[in-house]
Amino acid sequence: MQQIIQSFTTAPVDFTYRNTKALTNQLTHSIVTIVTEAFTNINKHSDATAVTICFIELVDKWTLLILDNGKNSSHKDSPLKSEGIGLLNMEERVKMLNGTLFISNEKGFRIFITIPMEEMEE
């Protein structure tokens, strides 16, 4: 994750990671893929000057928050308007993990994901 964040040069990234449990390969891969797609969307659709990513372990779930301070995505190329393949891929990955995905474009673009831990235990 650190490599992906360091290679993103469009805007500074504030990254918070709080987790003590081992993540499955599927969860790790999904999180990395979602963050990569979010960066792609920021590059294509936003004039963001700041990005925040938080991956936090709670009692019974993990949360992933990705937000930027870019322009509202109300133009015709908006990822919300077009339901682009990237957002559909994110949604599919979250569903495979029995999680939830919420997207907002107020005051920038926000992706909020929760993934239940019981689904990840092996």
Side-chain angles (χ1 to χ4, degrees), residues 17-29 31 55 57-58 61-62 115-122:
Y17 180 88
R18 280 186 259 160
N19 182 58
T20 60
K21 297 185 181 197
L23 304 180
T24 64
N25 288 339
Q26 180 185 14
L27 178 58
T28 301
H29 183 271
I31 297 301
F55 184 81
E57 172 189 324
L58 300 174
K61 64 188 164 201
W62 288 283
I115 300 164
M117 285 183 185
E118 68 271 3
E119 302 299 331
M120 295 289 100
E121 293 175 1
E122 297 179 314

Side-chain angles (χ1 to χ4, degrees), residues 98-109:
N98 294 318
T100 60
L101 169 73
F102 176 77
I103 297 172
S104 168
N105 67 343
E106 292 209 16
K107 298 181 183 177
F109 197 76

